[in-house]
Amino acid sequence: MKVEVYGPGCAKCRQSYDVIRKYLDEKGLAHEVVKIESIDAMMALGILATPAIVLDGKVVLKGRVPTTSDLQKLFG
């Protein structure tokens, strides 16, 4: 599964990336996690609120840092 964190580089965007990486590492889940700061890429997906989390091309969360509960729902 490919996990993409979209955001312009703000603190919440960096925090979202870190929270996801930490969660996946703690659970021993091997997913590719990338940070995307391109405004053009965000607009192509219709992302107007950041941070946004995209799993395999589908926007699953936007406008806030994911909680542990959010991550459990997304990754099991």
Side-chain angles (χ1 to χ4, degrees), residues 34-48:
V34 295
K35 175 103 175 59
I36 299 173
E37 297 182 359
S38 166
I39 300 297
D40 291 335
M42 289 180 233
M43 299 312 287
L45 288 174
I47 296 171
L48 301 176

Side-chain angles (χ1 to χ4, degrees), residues 3-75:
V3 182
E4 299 169 311
V5 180
Y6 284 79
C10 65
K12 287 185 180 183
C13 298
R14 289 189 304 270
Q15 183 182 5
S16 294
Y17 177 86
D18 293 341
V19 166
I20 291 169
R21 290 289 320 170
K22 182 179 177 186
Y23 180 85
L24 294 174
D25 288 346
E26 287 176 354
K27 297 296 181 183
L29 301 172
H31 296 298
E32 178 184 4
V33 182
V34 295
K35 175 103 175 59
I36 299 173
E37 297 182 359
S38 166
I39 300 297
D40 291 335
M42 289 180 233
M43 299 312 287
L45 288 174
I47 296 171
L48 301 176
T50 60
I53 311 304
V54 176
L55 300 180
D56 290 334
K58 181 181 176 190
V59 179
V60 294
L61 184 81
K62 57 185 172 181
R64 62 186 173 86
V65 175
T67 63
T68 301
S69 177
D70 293 329
L71 297 175
Q72 288 171 341
K73 290 175 188 171
L74 294 173
F75 301 110

